[in-house]
Amino acid sequence: PHTAGRISLIHNGIIENYIELRERLAAEGREFKSETDTEIAAHLVDSYLKESDDPYEAFKKACADIRGSFAFLAIDSENPDRILVAKNATPIVIGEGQGEVVIASDIPAVLEITKDIRVLEDGDIAEVRLDSLRIENNGEPVERVLQHISWDPVTAQKGGFKHFMLKEINEQPEVIADTFRGRIVRDPAGVTLPEIGLSAEDISRIDRILLLACGTALHACLVAKFYLEEFTGIPCEVDYASEFRYRTPVFNEKTLVIAISQSGETADTLAAVESASGTARTLGICNVLGSSLARKVNHVMFTHAGPEISVASTKAFTTQIVAAYLLAIYLGLERGTLDSERSLQLLDALTRAPQAVSDAIKSESLVEGVARKYHRSRGFLFIGRGNCYPIALEGALKLKEISYIHAEGYPAGEMKHGPIALIDEELPVVVVLQREKRIYDKALSNLREVESRGGRIIAVTDADDTAELEALSDTVIKVPFVSNELSPLVLTIPLQLLAYYVAVHNGTDVDLPRNLAKSVTVE
Ligand code: M6R
């Protein structure tokens, strides 16, 4: 807890306007012991105690001044019989036991003490005492039902979902927002990434970018290449980390090597970074704080996806795409290849992505039906074009990884150079089709070739005029359109669900597929 005057406070989340609040409190003569945003919240509540001696009122006023995501618990030393609680975009549950109350960020944390739980909602401010509870939202008293949770400890960790993979798929709207929260600046539009510590001089010197990773993270690199080349004009190359060391890669001190890894412990990725270190500048995009990659690179950017338990990566992938998008905008603005108007459009689109991803998850029952129909197929072909070609690769990897069915990802335009020979009535062809007209029209002509050979087409698209696509396809799964740049982020969701449900129908071990480990720490 951070303590300021009478108030001790703990916080989960990010206070976006903490610099502004810190300046205001400093002007009132307050001194700080740390650089954290949490300490600012403690001071703010304490400062309002000067206006009203009621800690609940002071706490409410402080919360109204704060922008960002927060779950706060605060105690006033002069009223130690009550805990003040606030929730905004970060979870909070209140468990009611025998003569005790327990407040935590998620249900599994309290289950050993009690199974009777209230889940707070965004905007709730509560005052918890042993014998009473009051909750307000927008100044009005509200009730949150006391629910009896009957989960066993393992189900509890899965948040009530059957598998970690499904839980993690459903967490994506929230963790995507966590990845960009606190990093977007407005007026003028920009991205703030002070933690990576790249100087303006470092950025202006870069003349080449090498993106290195393995598996799903490699697919995030392929999407990142589109962003980096479009927003910065710097030539980018993507390589499997395991291949990088076995050729004679060309790089020098003007090269930026970007390694993407969920765990930060993948042996091949670490070795590839090692071989470039000393000459090139290295930057890691990583999920796990304190991991080997985070310690090895010159600069690090965390994705904030939270723990990913399922071997099949889902939320780590989408947050890697978001981190790469932010990084590319940041570099583009610093180098003057992006102006603030365009950046504003790009950043606005990003803030719409969590809702679009949430809506895409609603395709679940339609996708489950497709999985039921095709789960016995011997193989699947996934095709895509432009920035959605990596999504076709990712869809194929996800499916083979957990359902053990052979699946291949291919650029749609390459079909006629070989894979078209595979097409028959037995082969489901999954096409990832973004709205962008140039690509959409070309892909339709590829699909006519598939259809005329009897192939079964499953289309995943963010286009709205889909009449012809529907005539050609067995099933069309529609997701919301956010922007041409962010189509990959949304279109990947139904493919995650497809892999999941094919595996469920085939009875394979979804979260722990055979022969695979979550972190591949050997070469
Ligand atoms: O931890 P990393 O991101 O470095 O892991 C890389 C790959 O091993 C990983 O993405 C793997 O391909 C996943 N199981 C895919 O779902």
Side-chain angles (χ1 to χ4, degrees), residues 138-158:
N138 256 325
E140 297 296 322
V142 287
E143 296 259 338
R144 300 294 169 223
V145 236
L146 190 65
Q147 309 173 38
H148 184 76
I149 307 288
S150 53
W151 303 340
D152 60 66
V154 178
T155 313
Q157 277 181 359
K158 291 180 190 159

Side-chain angles (χ1 to χ4, degrees), residues 1-126:
H2 283 265
T3 302
R6 284 165 49 182
I7 296 296
S8 294
L9 176 144
I10 58 172
H11 165 217
N12 189 18
I14 298 165
I15 300 177
E16 286 170 14
N17 57 336
Y18 94 97
I19 295 182
E20 187 186 300
L21 294 171
R22 190 185 167 98
E23 282 167 5
R24 191 175 112 194
L25 291 161
E28 289 170 16
R30 289 189 169 259
E31 286 177 6
F32 309 103
K33 297 190 204 92
S34 73
E35 289 295 315
T36 63
D37 52 352
T38 304
E39 191 187 355
I40 303 300
H43 274 280
L44 197 59
V45 183
D46 188 61
S47 78
Y48 276 120
L49 280 175
K50 308 277 173 298
E51 287 178 18
S52 146
D53 202 42
D54 178 348
Y56 187 66
E57 288 307 315
F59 185 67
K60 272 203 308 194
K61 285 186 184 155
C63 292
D65 286 353
I66 293 173
R67 274 205 323 273
S69 66
F70 50 81
F72 290 130
L73 301 192
I75 298 188
D76 170 18
S77 58
E78 291 187 11
N79 293 282
D81 61 334
R82 64 199 77 167
I83 298 177
L84 305 167
V85 186
K87 178 207 179 306
N88 190 40
T90 300
I92 275 275
V93 299
I94 301 176
E96 295 183 15
Q98 296 291 320
E100 58 189 334
V101 179
V102 53
I103 308 165
S105 57
D106 59 10
I107 294 174
V110 304
L111 280 185
E112 277 194 13
I113 297 166
T114 178
K115 294 192 164 202
D116 295 322
I117 282 156
R118 293 178 209 271
V119 179
L120 294 196
E121 291 185 10
D122 282 348
D124 284 357
I125 308 242

Side-chain angles (χ1 to χ4, degrees), residues 214-217 260-264 266 269 311-313 320 397-398 401 517-518 520:
C214 303
T216 288
I260 302 187
S261 172
Q262 186 284 129
S263 61
T266 301
T269 308
V311 165
S313 186
Q320 285 161 356
L397 174 65
K398 214 83 306 162
E401 195 176 14
K518 182 65 185 159
V520 186

Side-chain angles (χ1 to χ4, degrees), residues 1-2 13 66 81 95 152-153 188 205 211 222 231 235 264 278 303 319 347 353 391 456:
H2 283 265
I66 293 173
D81 61 334
D152 60 66
R205 268 157 52 100
L211 291 144
L222 291 169
F231 304 161
T303 50
T319 54
L347 293 169
I391 299 307
R456 301 299 162 88

Side-chain angles (χ1 to χ4, degrees), residues 371-417:
R372 197 171 338 111
K373 184 164 175 190
Y374 290 106
H375 71 280
R376 298 222 179 276
S377 302
R378 276 183 301 119
F380 278 72
L381 185 61
F382 287 76
I383 57 171
R385 215 178 249 271
N387 63 14
C388 285
Y389 160 54
I391 299 307
L393 293 177
E394 175 60 8
L397 174 65
K398 214 83 306 162
L399 185 76
K400 71 182 101 171
E401 195 176 14
I402 58 170
S403 69
Y404 319 146
I405 295 175
H406 178 71
E408 210 174 342
Y410 240 85
E414 277 288 303
M415 287 262 298
K416 54 190 172 298
H417 300 289

